[in-house]
Amino acid sequence: MIDQPPLKRVQVSIFLISGALIAYEILLIKTFSIQYWYHFAHLIISVALLGFGASGTFIYLFRKRLEAHYSLVIYGLPLLMLVSIWINIYLNRLIAFNPLMIVWQMSEIIRFSCLCLTMFVPFFLAAVCIGLSFSVYPGHIYRVYFSNLFGSGLGPLLILPTFFHFGPYEIILMISVVTVLATFPVSRTHIQKAISLITLLSVFPLYFIFLHGSPVAINIFKDLPQAENLTNSRIENQTFGPLGLVSVIDSPAYHYLPDLSLNCPYPLPEQKGLFSDGNTVGSINRFSGNVAELRFMDCRTNAIPYKLLTEPKVLIIGGGGGTEILNAKYHGAKSIYVVEMNRDIVHLLQDQYSSFSGDIYNPEQCHIIIEDGRGYLEKTRERFDLINMSLLESVNAAGSGVYSLNENYLFTTETLITCLNRLNPGGIISISRWIKNPPRESIKLIAMAIDALDAIRPGNASRSLIVIRSWQVVTLLIKDGTFSQEEIKATQNFCNRNLCDLCYYLGIKKEETNRINRMDESYFFIAAKSLLSQEKEKFYNEYPFYIRPATDNKPFFSRTFKIEILKKYFGTEGRMVIPFMDWGYLLVWIGLIILFLISMIIILAPLHTIRPVSKGIILIFIYFGSLGLAYISLEISFLQQFIQYLYDPVFSATVVITSFLVYSGIGCIIGEKLQHVKWWHMMLSIVVIAAFGSFYVESDLFFQRILSDLPLWLRMIICSLLIAPLAIPMGIPFPSGLSQLRRTQESLIPWAWGINGFFSVIGSSIAVLIAIEYGFEPVILSALALYIICGFLYAWMCSEKFTFLN
């Protein structure tokens, strides 16, 4: 006899559990970006789905016992979920892995595995509540699934506004409250109600005792912890906002101006370090308002465009601490437009550090635009003489390969084309990047610049490029027009005076390069010459790193890994090649392997207990596995692609996860209204999914142009509505398949739930790997093909020929 509460109360409980769980998932994405450089959205989603898949196995093995105590299970597991979340906060600090060392030390892989397993527990506990409800209420699968999806969809909406006002631990408090509230609808005794009330009241003092005021854990190899080791260093300001943790550090030993010439004769001003999520954003320079104090600006590679332009109208993308604003002021810019996405940085410079910095973010002196650089470039109708994009990440992050997975829509060929279209005739784009030896991203940037120039004026690229470098920074100038002999001469004089190396201009000879700050080879000269010749493809293939241009379809600018490097690692060169490996790319593979092995053990383990293994069992395996793989592939693809519309992974994850789940929940309700989803209903749903999925693949650029003119809140609404026609029919196949199982083999429902989870786990990593190699379009098209296969399989399941017998 199953002890079951009323269905409506269970639905309310599942709704709250699902909302708290997804809110926790979004919070993990944000805290990982602070702690580990990259947001790891695909990994966190995989771990969450691992919990859901494992729950199916667990329910399948212990179904009778769990069903017999269902009321106690659905009441008690949310409380255990709450405890596991709080334990995870501690364990996340205790066993935090160091991704920079993951290819050096096996212990870091073990730590990484342990971290995944600890994160897995809350998702597993919540998923048992949801999955068990399918078995207990087999006649109401659509309603249970709707509560799960709708609660999960609204969870991110609960957490997003809090990012504007609260820190991570305050959000943990809110999640804890919602989790405890989930126990009240299913409380059946006075003792249970009392326990829930005591727990609810306890989380507040526990928060103030253990979490309030605690610092967010940050990897010790990130820039902020390193800066804290400086003499008399102290963090004098920290602000947590929707775009992360902004910190200002004060130390008399802190200096940051990486493109400064080694023979600069002028003193630097007092500086304060500015960090976002523990990464260097730049420095805040003390400035009294007297530009004569800024003579050191003449000794930077970023000064070179000002030697070729007179009183330019300047656009600075990534204002940061304001160094480039001072650079433009010193060199007599006619007007300055500053694009800075992080509102918290702008407010810091306008308020607390206004007098220290000379009020450089004063809107009366500069045009301040709080916007993503790509978004502003798309929507503005202004034209500029100079567009500056310089060192938008730290040297540690750039040198370690931590951004190899980062979707960067600012550094794509399409963005450079847009920049060229925003220049006045004769205008210049100036981009500075860190130098690695051998160079990687900077060579890729040259390739992108050539492609962008060829797209606008074919055959003119060689006359429109100048490349120079200092000891650690390379600066690329891209002109709307051709560089004159006078401009080339001015560049030569600048380099001679500041001990910089000429790398490329039209007519340069190899012996003019690599003279002062010597490298193993004249890499930039060779690269520019090769990329401007008929040998371009040969150079791409033979260069030891992946330096093909990044595009909107493959926006992984920092991905430079080639499989040949891995072959050398396992060959004679061994650990000598580790400094040239992008750990971010390898971590996807390591994560995929680890999660695959764990999933095989805890999700597919009961497969051998099913006797006999018939065609019907195999069909169920393929059907639910394909659904899991297809659904998560589309979700991951849209999550990463929508970053170019919403400009931040947290905003994108919030909109995409919410929309897919809520609209899929609506699809669930539609499926229930049909009472029995026939094969032609399913085929119609699949046709709609395939049609709209294909439409989005072809319309990406169109939507980008339309959305760029709109404020963030409206972009988020429109992005959500764009998902609706795709996600609503995506909510029909899974519960319909479970309902079909109820009519044929009800005991397999938990197992099918687990199979779906297994393929969802590995699908998120596979989707990322395919996107890195081939772009997002193949991922979306492959997912659509899987849905089509599922349509035919469902038709077979509905036929009289379908059987579980041999």
Side-chain angles (χ1 to χ4, degrees):
M1 181 69 180
I2 297 177
D3 180 21
Q4 59 185 60
L7 176 61
K8 289 185 178 180
R9 289 177 173 268
V10 170
Q11 284 185 267
V12 173
S13 181
I14 288 176
F15 173 85
L16 293 172
I17 292 171
S18 301
L21 197 65
I22 295 297
Y24 181 58
E25 186 176 332
I26 297 293
L27 180 61
L28 284 175
I29 292 173
K30 171 50 68 179
T31 54
F32 264 55
S33 66
I34 296 174
Q35 191 168 3
Y36 296 116
W37 287 280
Y38 181 62
H39 54 77
F40 289 104
H42 73 279
L43 172 66
I44 293 167
I45 291 173
S46 290
V47 172
L49 293 171
L50 176 64
F52 276 75
S55 72
T57 300
F58 183 75
I59 295 168
Y60 179 81
L61 293 175
F62 304 103
R63 179 182 175 187
K64 291 184 179 180
R65 293 182 184 178
L66 292 171
E67 287 181 349
H69 301 90
Y70 176 72
S71 291
L72 183 61
V73 169
I74 198 165
Y75 170 79
L77 288 188
L79 296 178
L80 292 178
M81 171 184 157
L82 171 65
V83 173
S84 67
I85 288 175
W86 280 65
I87 292 175
N88 271 355
I89 298 171
Y90 171 73
L91 292 178
N92 192 31
R93 297 174 181 172
L94 183 66
I95 61 174
F97 79 104
N98 181 7
L100 299 181
M101 299 295 291
I102 202 160
V103 293
W104 288 90
Q105 297 180 354
M106 179 61 68
S107 60
E108 296 301 331
I109 296 179
I110 296 173
R111 285 174 174 268
F112 175 62
S113 304
C114 292
L115 186 64
C116 291
L117 287 173
T118 58
M119 289 193 301
F120 147 89
V121 175
F123 297 101
F124 168 76
L125 295 172
V128 170
C129 291
I130 300 165
L132 184 60
S133 300
F134 288 136
S135 294
V136 174
Y137 301 95
H140 302 283
I141 286 175
Y142 287 101
R143 299 173 97 184
V144 173
Y145 195 47
F146 169 78
S147 300
N148 167 226
L149 291 178
F150 210 71
S152 298
L154 294 183
L157 295 183
L158 166 72
I159 195 175
L160 182 62
T162 63
F163 279 127
F164 291 90
H165 304 288
F166 302 114
Y169 297 134
E170 287 73 26
I171 297 172
I172 285 289
L173 175 62
M174 295 181 61
I175 293 171
S176 300
V177 169
V178 174
T179 304
V180 177
L181 289 176
T183 64
F184 282 98
V186 291
S187 299
R188 307 194 71 184
T189 66
H190 292 299
I191 294 177
Q192 288 181 341
K193 289 182 173 64
I195 291 173
S196 297
L197 182 60
I198 292 171
T199 305
L200 181 62
L201 295 176
S202 299
V203 296
F204 292 96
L206 288 174
Y207 158 76
F208 283 103
I209 294 171
F210 294 107
L211 298 182
H212 182 67
S214 298
V216 179
I218 299 179
N219 188 285
I220 61 171
F221 288 94
K222 296 190 82 171
D223 300 325
L224 180 59
Q226 294 292 308
E228 289 184 85
N229 293 327
L230 295 173
T231 304
N232 297 326
S233 175
R234 66 185 180 92
I235 297 177
E236 64 179 28
N237 195 295
Q238 276 197 330
T239 304
F240 183 81
L243 297 183
L245 182 69
V246 176
S247 309
V248 178
I249 200 165
D250 178 65
S251 168
Y254 185 85
H255 295 288
Y256 183 83
L257 205 60
D259 64 329
L260 188 69
S261 170
L262 292 175
N263 71 338
C264 177
Y266 309 114
L268 295 182
E270 179 187 350
Q271 294 180 326
K272 296 181 184 293
L274 181 64
F275 304 84
S276 177
D277 288 345
N279 299 314
T280 300
V281 174
S283 58
I284 306 173
N285 299 274
R286 180 180 288 280
F287 179 51
S288 67
N290 180 8
V291 294
E293 300 173 356
L294 304 175
R295 290 177 296 174
F296 64 90
M297 290 291 179
D298 255 341
C299 303
R300 303 175 57 218
T301 59
N302 267 340
I304 183 64
Y306 294 100
K307 305 303 177 184
L308 311 181
L309 299 166
T310 304
E311 295 185 347
K313 180 181 178 181
V314 180
L315 171 65
I316 299 169
I317 296 179
T323 298
E324 294 311 319
I325 302 175
L326 294 178
N327 194 22
K329 283 180 175 291
Y330 175 75
H331 287 102
K334 179 173 59 178
S335 58
I336 304 172
Y337 289 69
V338 182
V339 177
E340 173 52 59
M341 184 178 178
N342 198 322
R343 188 182 301 271
D344 292 328
I345 291 177
V346 175
H347 288 170
L348 277 175
L349 270 294
Q350 290 178 336
D351 299 331
Q352 292 98 315
Y353 296 96
S354 173
S355 59
F356 181 88
S357 65
D359 200 18
I360 55 173
Y361 268 87
N362 189 330
E364 295 181 1
Q365 300 179 24
C366 301
H367 302 271
I368 308 299
I369 302 104
I370 302 177
E371 178 78 82
D372 171 77
R374 173 67 180 269
Y376 178 74
L377 287 167
E378 290 288 347
K379 72 180 183 181
T380 187
R381 296 297 174 261
E382 296 285 343
R383 294 294 183 271
F384 304 94
D385 301 308
L386 173 62
I387 297 177
N388 179 276
M389 296 187 286
S390 299
L391 299 177
L392 300 181
E393 78 278 337
S394 70
V395 63
N396 288 340
S400 59
V402 296
Y403 288 133
S404 58
L405 299 178
N406 197 42
E407 310 87 352
N408 190 339
Y409 288 95
L410 187 60
F411 285 98
T412 67
T413 302
E414 290 85 348
T415 300
L416 290 184
I417 292 173
T418 304
C419 285
L420 286 168
N421 289 328
R422 298 296 177 263
L423 290 176
N424 289 319
I428 295 174
I429 303 168
S430 175
I431 306 176
S432 293
R433 302 292 304 176
W434 297 102
I435 294 177
K436 300 179 184 180
N437 192 7
R440 282 154 255 183
E441 291 103 323
S442 46
I443 300 294
K444 180 181 286 192
L445 183 61
I446 294 174
M448 290 160 53
I450 292 170
D451 279 8
L453 287 165
D454 284 341
I456 294 178
R457 294 184 182 85
N460 205 42
S462 61
R463 300 177 176 85
S464 303
L465 289 176
I466 287 179
V467 185
I468 67 171
R469 65 178 176 87
S470 64
W471 66 284
Q472 66 174 346
V473 172
V474 58
T475 297
L476 173 66
L477 303 183
I478 311 167
K479 185 173 182 177
D480 180 30
T482 61
F483 285 106
S484 66
Q485 288 301 313
E486 291 78 10
E487 290 170 326
I488 291 173
K489 185 65 175 177
T491 301
Q492 292 171 329
N493 292 336
F494 175 88
C495 290
N496 290 334
R497 185 171 63 254
N498 289 292
L499 300 182
C500 296
D501 284 280
L502 290 161
C503 298
Y504 175 80
Y505 61 81
L506 182 64
I508 193 172
K509 297 178 181 178
K510 186 176 182 180
E511 53 265 29
E512 298 179 59
T513 67
N514 201 31
R515 296 170 55 196
I516 301 169
N517 306 287
R518 295 186 61 83
M519 301 178 72
D520 300 336
E521 183 58 87
S522 297
Y523 291 108
F524 296 103
F525 169 80
I526 295 170
K529 285 288 190 180
S530 300
L531 293 170
L532 286 164
S533 70
Q534 300 298 319
E535 302 291 319
K536 177 190 288 190
E537 280 299 319
K538 181 180 178 182
F539 182 74
Y540 283 147
N541 294 329
E542 293 182 354
Y543 199 72
F545 301 99
Y546 184 88
I547 44 90
R548 291 182 182 273
T551 64
D552 283 353
N553 185 45
K554 297 171 65 175
F556 304 97
F557 174 72
S558 296
R559 180 260 165 140
T560 60
F561 179 82
K562 269 188 175 182
I563 195 66
E564 285 76 11
I565 298 292
L566 197 59
K567 292 178 181 177
K568 291 181 180 179
Y569 174 70
F570 289 111
T572 56
E573 298 185 41
R575 297 164 72 92
M576 296 294 292
V577 302
I578 286 180
F580 308 120
M581 299 171 71
D582 292 337
W583 71 259
Y585 180 80
L586 294 178
L587 192 57
V588 182
W589 279 104
I590 293 171
L592 174 60
I593 294 169
I594 290 173
L595 293 175
F596 176 81
L597 293 175
I598 295 174
S599 300
M600 288 289 292
I601 295 170
I602 65 179
I603 296 179
L604 298 187
L607 182 60
H608 73 280
T609 66
I610 301 174
R611 293 290 188 269
V613 178
S614 63
K615 291 182 180 179
I617 294 295
I618 296 173
L619 183 148
I620 295 301
F621 183 90
I622 296 173
Y623 178 80
F624 286 98
S626 297
L627 283 181
L629 195 58
Y631 193 101
I632 196 63
S633 294
L634 287 177
E635 187 174 300
I636 290 291
S637 296
F638 275 74
L639 189 156
Q640 292 186 296
Q641 279 199 293
F642 274 28
I643 292 175
Q644 67 182 312
Y645 305 152
L646 303 173
Y647 313 137
D648 182 79
V650 172
F651 292 153
S652 179
T654 301
V655 170
V656 171
I657 292 174
T658 296
S659 301
F660 267 94
L661 294 174
V662 169
Y663 293 131
S664 294
I666 294 173
C668 245
I669 295 299
I670 294 173
E672 184 184 33
K673 296 298 181 184
L674 294 173
Q675 294 184 349
H676 174 56
V677 176
K678 298 180 175 59
W679 69 268
W680 62 269
H681 290 142
M682 184 64 67
M683 294 304 294
L684 180 61
S685 300
I686 300 300
V687 168
V688 174
I689 293 171
F692 279 96
S694 302
F695 170 72
Y696 292 142
V697 168
E698 298 298 325
S699 306
D700 180 61
L701 186 58
F702 168 76
F703 288 126
Q704 185 176 316
R705 290 171 178 169
I706 295 296
L707 293 172
S708 63
D709 287 325
L710 305 176
L712 175 63
W713 66 270
L714 188 54
R715 290 200 303 270
M716 295 177 76
I717 292 174
I718 293 176
C719 284
S720 177
L721 294 174
L722 287 174
I723 293 172
L726 180 68
I728 289 175
M730 286 171 62
I732 296 176
F734 180 71
S736 299
L738 292 182
S739 293
Q740 193 64 32
L741 272 185
R742 175 178 169 249
R743 295 180 178 89
T744 53
Q745 192 80 6
E746 186 176 315
S747 64
L748 289 179
I749 289 178
W751 182 72
W753 168 259
I755 292 299
N756 183 267
F758 169 76
F759 279 95
S760 296
V761 169
I762 63 173
S764 60
S765 295
I766 290 173
V768 171
L769 290 169
I770 293 175
I772 291 173
E773 289 294 332
Y774 306 106
F776 290 116
E777 290 184 12
V779 179
I780 295 174
L781 294 175
S782 298
L784 298 180
L786 287 174
Y787 268 111
I788 293 172
I789 292 171
C790 289
F792 287 104
L793 291 176
Y794 186 83
W796 186 14
M797 289 169 63
C798 292
S799 70
E800 296 180 358
K801 296 180 180 180
F802 177 72
T803 178
F804 283 93
L805 300 176
N806 285 320

